[in-house]
């Protein structure tokens, strides 16, 4: 599964690396619009997670992190638009010097390639991570926590629909479709397929990554 996903992500990363700034921004604006227009289905998915979380004894604080409402979905969509407003980092010259012989040397920002982002609990991270990855020209493979599995899938679907409407590949943002813990291990061992793994969660997750 991970090998197949990373292969598709690698192809998508090549498209994103050279995608025009305006197209990447447009993809995020459209994704934000999809989050708003599909808010009802996102809320239904979140209700499933909330019900399962309560049944599994999640604390009140954890349930609050997990809970979505119209206001929070609007906040997620607005955050995606804020990323669209950011300056395109790809191609930025961050250092430049000229040698006595006339040779000019520059350090230029380029995309990393394929990112894997492993995170827990908060479903808004699905949209945040997808938006930041795409804006910086990277393909992203997301693996969220089991507590928010239905919410994450609904948010991911909305993001991908917006991305595709802007003419960018659906594989630019992928969500690992299984909650099997072995998938995390496979992501961490996928050297040469994944260029960087980013953890967002508790100490044990960070330590493992």
């Amino acid at each position: 599964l991970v090998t197949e996903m990373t292969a598709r992500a690698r192809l998508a990363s090549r498209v994103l690396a050279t995608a025009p700034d305006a197209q990447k921004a447009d993809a995020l604006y459209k994704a934000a619009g999809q989050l708003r227009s599909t808010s009802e289905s996102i809320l239904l998915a979140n209700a499933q997670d909330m019900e399962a979380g309560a049944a599994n004894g999640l604390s009140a604080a954890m349930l609050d992190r997990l809970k979505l409402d119209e206001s929070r979905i609007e906040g997620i969509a607005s955050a995606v638009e804020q990323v669209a407003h950011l300056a395109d980092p790809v191609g930025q010259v961050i250092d430049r010097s000229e040698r006595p012989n006339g040779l000019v040397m520059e350090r230029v920002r380029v995309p990393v390639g394929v990112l894997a982002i492993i995170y827990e609990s908060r479903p808004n991270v699905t949209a945040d991570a997808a938006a930041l990855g795409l804006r910086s020209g990277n393909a992203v493979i997301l693996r969220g926590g089991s507590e928010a599995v239905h919410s994450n899938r609904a948010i991911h679907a909305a993001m991908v629909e917006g991305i595709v409407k802007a003419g960018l590949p659906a594989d630019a943002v992928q969500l690992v479709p299984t909650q099997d813990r072995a998938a995390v291990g496979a992501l961490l061992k996928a050297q040469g397929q994944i260029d960087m793994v980013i953890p967002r969660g508790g100490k044990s997750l960070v330590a493992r990554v």
Side-chain angles (χ1 to χ4, degrees):
L1 172 66
V2 168
T3 299
E4 180 187 326
M5 293 182 72
T6 55
R8 298 202 312 266
R10 183 67 62 191
L11 292 174
S13 73
R14 293 171 186 164
V15 176
L16 292 175
T18 57
D21 176 42
Q23 187 178 23
K24 290 186 292 185
D26 183 48
L28 294 181
Y29 287 125
K30 285 182 167 59
Q34 285 300 127
L35 287 167
R36 292 187 176 103
S37 64
T38 61
S39 62
E40 186 175 339
S41 62
I42 294 172
L43 290 175
L44 287 172
N46 183 247
Q48 287 182 271
D49 291 330
M50 290 293 291
E51 184 178 346
N56 291 330
L58 288 185
S59 67
M62 287 290 287
L63 287 172
D64 182 62
R65 288 183 189 179
L66 182 60
K67 181 177 175 59
L68 294 175
D69 54 28
E70 288 287 356
S71 175
R72 288 187 175 185
I73 291 175
E74 175 55 36
I76 293 171
S78 295
V80 170
E81 288 178 335
Q82 287 172 21
V83 175
H85 284 305
L86 296 175
D88 186 5
V90 178
Q92 283 185 356
V93 178
I94 56 177
D95 189 28
R96 185 181 188 278
S97 63
E98 185 171 347
R99 309 303 296 170
N101 64 358
L103 178 67
V104 175
M105 304 177 71
E106 293 182 337
R107 293 175 63 200
V108 182
R109 294 191 192 278
V110 298
V112 174
V114 177
L115 308 178
I117 303 176
I118 304 170
Y119 54 101
E120 300 169 346
S121 301
R122 296 180 186 272
N124 64 290
V125 178
T126 300
D128 292 345
L132 289 167
L134 188 143
R135 194 73 183 96
S136 55
N138 296 292
V140 179
I141 296 174
L142 304 170
R143 206 286 188 174
S146 58
E147 304 91 347
V149 59
H150 297 99
S151 305
N152 289 339
R153 287 172 181 168
I155 291 171
H156 170 256
M159 293 292 295
V160 169
E161 196 164 342
I163 290 167
V164 170
K165 282 184 176 180
L168 291 175
D171 291 330
V173 178
Q174 298 179 65
L175 181 69
V176 176
T178 176
Q179 294 307 118
D180 190 331
R181 288 177 177 270
V184 174
L187 289 171
L188 296 179
K189 292 176 183 176
Q191 295 181 354
Q193 299 168 287
I194 294 172
D195 299 296
M196 182 182 292
V197 181
I198 303 170
R200 178 166 172 173
K203 288 183 179 180
S204 61
L205 172 64
V206 173
R208 184 181 180 192
V209 171

